[in-house]
Amino acid sequence: MGKILTFLLPALLLISAGCDTTTYPFDQVTEGFTFTYDLPNEGLVDLIVLNCYMNNVRTLLADSTQSSGSHSSSWDLLDENAVRVPNGLYYIRIILDDDVIETKLYEVHT
Amino acid sequence: MTLLILLLCTIGQPSGSGSDSFSPGFRIGFSFMTSFPSMQNEKDFADMNTAAGLDFELGSVAWGGSLELLGDLSEKFRIRGSVGGSNFSGGYSEGYNAMQNMFLILFTLGLFSGSSEEDVIELNDQAITLEAQAYYVLTRSSGMSISAGAGPIYTFATRKLKSPNTSTSGSGSGLGFVASIRLDQESTMNLGCLPLMLGLEGGYKINSVNISDEEADDYELDFSGPFVKVGTYIGI
């Protein structure tokens, strides 16, 4: 019995450890948040939020001239009609001079 | 496909029940289907996930099956009605820690092994289709027949996207068109007490569905593309 426990205890610990949620390559958000992005050069910047159907639900920044380097912006989880977006996956596209230079993924949930 | 044609030609020879004289009748059966849908929007969606840093894998093939009723109206005309379903999927999964799995297997003497992958984001597009098709029989012998046909197809589709804490789904329906060529066994082969007939069908479907939910804003699921079906039928 003791020998069985000697094997089973670490095994059960490992099983429980294996069930832990790993860190995903996207952020899970429940409220408004700030994000940063880097621009390789100065230009016209657009920041748009797309839902999982690739529809634009919010424009955070439109045709704004920004210098190269690090910048930040925030999204309050509201759509263009100031209504909180439904739970789901959302993508923030950073567009510089009409080219998408970065896409950030967020899981919005309550 | 060549193998199946050879199989049909070999085992499709009259087994006592076939004859050169035509006799109208119906057959009912089940077909397995594979198709290569366009799904351009889903490909763009997968690309967007990849751009966001995920190794998002999208299938290129949809799998499904259908319950079919075939009827010979005359020696030259045949009809088919069917209800079926197909599934197209993709997703992003993460592997468990390999070292952790190794210790788990060692400690439990192989009794337990952790799942190698965990589905983080799952995309499932499902379609239920109603098809009605009329065929012209190009050639018919006692063993087999070849026919070509076309007809309408009505598709009900759903799109489900699951992430660790959320689930989004939308649905819609749409009318389409299907054209195909069928190869049917005309004589029965006995499998136990069941008199069976095989059928092979290949063609092209044009059926796209717009998701009608407000959030989706007419997002298109395009199931259009070539398909192949293999079915087994019983004469009734």
Side-chain angles (χ1 to χ4, degrees), chain A residues 2-33:
Chain A
K3 285 182 180 176
I4 293 172
L5 282 176
T6 307
F7 278 106
L8 273 183
L9 194 59
L12 289 172
L13 287 172
L14 279 166
I15 289 171
S16 63
C19 292
D20 281 347
T21 306
T22 53
T23 54
Y24 302 120
F26 52 84
D27 289 329
Q28 297 167 307
V29 295
T30 56
E31 55 188 21
F33 62 94

Side-chain angles (χ1 to χ4, degrees), chain B residues 33-115:
Chain B
M33 188 269 297
T34 181
S35 66
F36 303 89
S38 165
M39 289 291 184
Q40 189 54 52
N41 276 345
E42 297 299 50
K43 289 174 183 170
D44 293 342
F45 177 71
D47 288 343
M48 185 167 71
N49 279 282
T50 303
L54 273 66
D55 186 15
F56 196 92
E57 291 183 6
L58 188 69
S60 56
V61 176
W63 302 94
S66 59
L67 185 65
E68 309 205 321
L69 181 67
L70 274 166
D72 284 321
L73 299 180
S74 69
E75 192 169 357
K76 282 293 183 185
F77 289 100
R78 167 172 287 168
I79 55 170
R80 180 181 65 84
S82 72
V83 56
S86 65
N87 187 69
F88 181 80
S89 61
Y92 165 71
S93 54
E94 288 186 346
Y96 275 117
N97 186 308
M99 187 67 79
Q100 202 173 57
N101 270 341
M102 192 180 75
F103 279 114
L104 183 62
I105 292 167
L106 281 175
F107 276 120
T108 61
L109 303 175
L111 287 175
F112 292 100
S113 64
S115 170

Side-chain angles (χ1 to χ4, degrees), chain A residues 7-60:
Chain A
F7 278 106
L8 273 183
L9 194 59
L12 289 172
L13 287 172
L14 279 166
I15 289 171
S16 63
C19 292
D20 281 347
T21 306
T22 53
T23 54
Y24 302 120
F26 52 84
D27 289 329
Q28 297 167 307
V29 295
T30 56
E31 55 188 21
F33 62 94
T34 299
F35 60 94
T36 60
Y37 54 96
D38 292 313
L39 300 178
N41 55 274
E42 183 183 305
L44 285 176
V45 177
D46 295 277
L47 300 178
I48 59 171
V49 183
L50 306 176
N51 65 10
C52 66
Y53 295 102
M54 297 185 292
N55 291 323
N56 186 349
V57 295
R58 179 80 180 272
T59 300
L60 300 174

Side-chain angles (χ1 to χ4, degrees), chain A residues 35-109:
Chain A
F35 60 94
T36 60
Y37 54 96
D38 292 313
L39 300 178
N41 55 274
E42 183 183 305
L44 285 176
V45 177
D46 295 277
L47 300 178
I48 59 171
V49 183
L50 306 176
N51 65 10
C52 66
Y53 295 102
M54 297 185 292
N55 291 323
N56 186 349
V57 295
R58 179 80 180 272
T59 300
L60 300 174
L61 199 63
D63 288 341
S64 174
T65 302
Q66 292 191 330
S67 59
S68 63
S70 184
H71 298 266
S72 67
S73 184
S74 59
W75 181 35
D76 50 15
L77 305 189
L78 302 181
D79 64 14
E80 294 291 9
N81 300 316
V83 177
R84 190 193 187 276
V85 295
N87 289 351
L89 295 176
Y90 291 86
Y91 304 79
I92 296 181
R93 273 185 170 163
I94 294 107
I95 302 168
L96 175 64
D97 293 331
D98 295 328
D99 289 326
V100 178
I101 61 165
E102 189 179 356
T103 303
K104 293 174 178 287
L105 170 58
Y106 297 92
E107 184 190 37
V108 174
H109 65 98

